[in-house]
Amino acid sequence: QVRLVESGGGLVQAGDSLSISCAASGGTFSNWKMAWFRQAPGKEREFVAADSWGDAWRYYGDSVKGRFTISRDNDQKMVFLQMTSLKPEDTAVYYCAADPKVTSYSSSRLNYNQPARYDYWGQGTQVTVSS
């Protein structure tokens, strides 16, 4: 059974940096597509970043491109989100998501930014950025 547990959220000031983590268990982690989404109150879940180690791709949402970096440690079964130059509009609950399905290289990137693609989710970690 796949389980995801996020950690590292907190309260920071605008312009600060923060790194959040997601610990995974169950299955062959290195094959999974991993992603971060976020959801602010009253808003839809928003794509932040996604990574496929096996197919060597990584994508970012437009609002975080150049400021956030997704990375992973396959040995430790962890995925990280390094956030810099944080803004108040980055305030949200951040969720880690996993897609462990085996896909062909040509279909690997399909819907990488859609929540429906991901089968497993963590409980979320709150990130609050004060102005």
Side-chain angles (χ1 to χ4, degrees), residues 45-120:
R45 195 160 290 194
E46 177 189 9
F47 170 72
V48 175
D51 173 89
S52 173
W53 181 79
D55 295 313
W57 54 253
R58 195 172 278 180
Y59 293 106
Y60 295 92
D62 289 341
S63 61
V64 306
K65 206 171 292 183
R67 299 188 299 122
F68 290 12
T69 303
I70 186 172
S71 62
R72 64 196 293 163
D73 183 332
N74 288 332
D75 291 335
Q76 297 296 320
K77 292 189 175 182
M78 295 193 70
V79 63
F80 308 97
L81 186 69
Q82 176 67 36
M83 303 178 286
T84 64
S85 302
L86 281 161
K87 305 174 183 180
E89 50 264 43
D90 294 318
T91 296
V93 177
Y94 284 71
Y95 296 92
C96 173
D99 171 15
K101 297 185 292 293
V102 176
T103 59
S104 64
Y105 181 79
S106 60
S107 63
S108 173
R109 291 169 174 79
L110 289 177
N111 299 320
Y112 67 86
N113 60 347
Q114 300 300 309
R117 185 211 167 121
Y118 298 89
D119 301 310
Y120 299 95

